[in-house]
Amino acid sequence: MRRHSLVRLLAVLALAAASLLGVPAHAEEQTADAFIQHLSSEMLHSIKTDPATQAGNVPAIIALVDAKLMPSVNFKRMTSSAVGPGWRQMTPEQQKRLQEEFKILLVRTYAGALSQIGDVSIAVQPLRAATDDKELVVRTKVKGRGDPIQLDYRLEKAAGEGGSWRIYNLNIMGVWLVETYRSQFAQEINVKGVDGLIAALAERNRSNAKKG
C-alpha cells in the first residue's frame, strides 16, 4: 500500500474504533487502550471482509460509515471545537446546519478511504492513566508497508455509571484533526461569515456527491 493511501485511511480507522465504544456489556471494565486495540482489530476485519466495501459501492460505504461510526463520536464537541469561540455566537439553526454539512464532509471522506484498506495492523502504546480519568489520549502506531504511522485518539467518557468512551479528536502523524479544521473554518468565517462557511461546505459536499 502506498504511504499516502495509508494516511488517508487513518481517520477511518480512528473513527472505526469508535463504532462499538460503549455498547458491549461490562465494556467499562476495560482500560481504554485495551478497548481501542480490540475494537480496531475487529473493525479492520469487518472492513476487509465487507462485500460492499470491497466492491467500492460508494452509497453502501457511506451508509456503513454513517450508521456504525458517527453515532459513537461526540460530533457536537468536534464541530464546536473546530469553530472555536465563535460557536457560542452562532444561532442554534447555524450550529445545526454546520454540524450537518461537516458530518457529510467527514462521512464522505472516510467512506472514500475505506476501499484503501490493505494489510495493516495497529499497535496500541502503553497507557498512563488513572482509573477515574474521564478524558485521555490513547496513542497507537499503524503498521503497513514502510515506516509505522502515528495515530492518536482523544477520548472522553460519558457521564453516569457505565459511561461509554467516545472520540472527539484524533492525531494523524502529529496533526490533530480538529485544529486543522479550526484554521480552515476561521479563514472562511473571516471572509464570508458563518453562513458563508456553511455554504462553502454545502457546495463542497454537492461537488463530492456528483463525483460519486
Side-chain angles (χ1 to χ4, degrees):
M1 178 184 295
R2 294 180 180 178
R3 185 178 180 82
H4 74 274
S5 296
L6 182 57
V7 173
R8 285 186 61 216
L9 66 85
L10 289 181
V12 179
L13 301 182
L15 294 185
S19 64
L20 300 177
L21 291 175
V23 177
H26 306 299
E28 68 276 8
E29 297 177 4
Q30 284 187 298
T31 60
D33 52 347
F35 211 11
I36 289 292
Q37 180 70 72
H38 172 73
L39 294 175
S40 296
S41 299
E42 289 293 316
M43 186 53 65
L44 274 174
H45 175 75
S46 297
I47 291 172
K48 291 177 182 178
T49 58
D50 179 73
T53 298
Q54 296 303 311
N57 185 312
V58 175
I61 294 173
I62 291 173
L64 174 69
V65 175
D66 194 30
K68 290 191 175 183
L69 310 190
M70 289 303 173
S72 294
V73 176
N74 188 338
F75 202 74
K76 181 176 181 179
R77 178 171 180 175
M78 184 177 287
T79 308
S80 63
S81 296
V83 174
W87 177 261
R88 291 188 292 272
Q89 278 68 58
M90 295 170 61
T91 66
E93 178 61 24
Q94 286 175 321
Q95 292 177 351
K96 179 175 180 292
R97 289 170 57 205
L98 181 58
Q99 285 187 76
E100 290 173 349
E101 295 298 340
F102 191 29
K103 177 182 176 181
I104 292 171
L105 175 64
L106 291 182
V107 167
R108 278 197 167 271
T109 299
Y110 301 149
L114 282 177
S115 61
Q116 304 290 333
I117 293 294
D119 186 16
V120 300
S121 62
I122 297 177
V124 177
Q125 307 303 297
L127 177 66
R128 295 180 180 179
T131 56
D132 59 348
D133 281 348
K134 302 302 181 184
E135 296 195 9
L136 46 78
V137 175
V138 175
R139 305 186 187 280
T140 75
K141 295 288 186 181
V142 179
K143 300 178 180 180
R145 296 176 183 174
D147 297 332
I149 294 177
Q150 175 186 355
L151 174 60
D152 302 334
Y153 306 75
R154 284 197 184 280
L155 302 176
E156 65 174 12
K157 200 166 191 180
E161 184 177 354
S164 60
W165 291 105
R166 294 197 297 175
I167 292 175
Y168 66 91
N169 202 353
L170 58 114
N171 181 329
I172 303 173
M173 298 177 66
V175 179
W176 288 99
L177 177 69
V178 167
E179 282 69 18
T180 297
Y181 277 108
R182 183 179 297 155
S183 175
Q184 297 177 20
F185 285 6
Q187 292 178 13
E188 200 72 41
I189 291 174
N190 287 338
V191 175
K192 302 178 182 178
V194 172
D195 288 333
L197 169 62
I198 296 171
L201 289 177
E203 177 57 34
R204 184 172 175 182
N205 288 331
R206 284 192 292 270
S207 177
N208 289 339
K210 291 178 182 179
K211 297 176 183 178

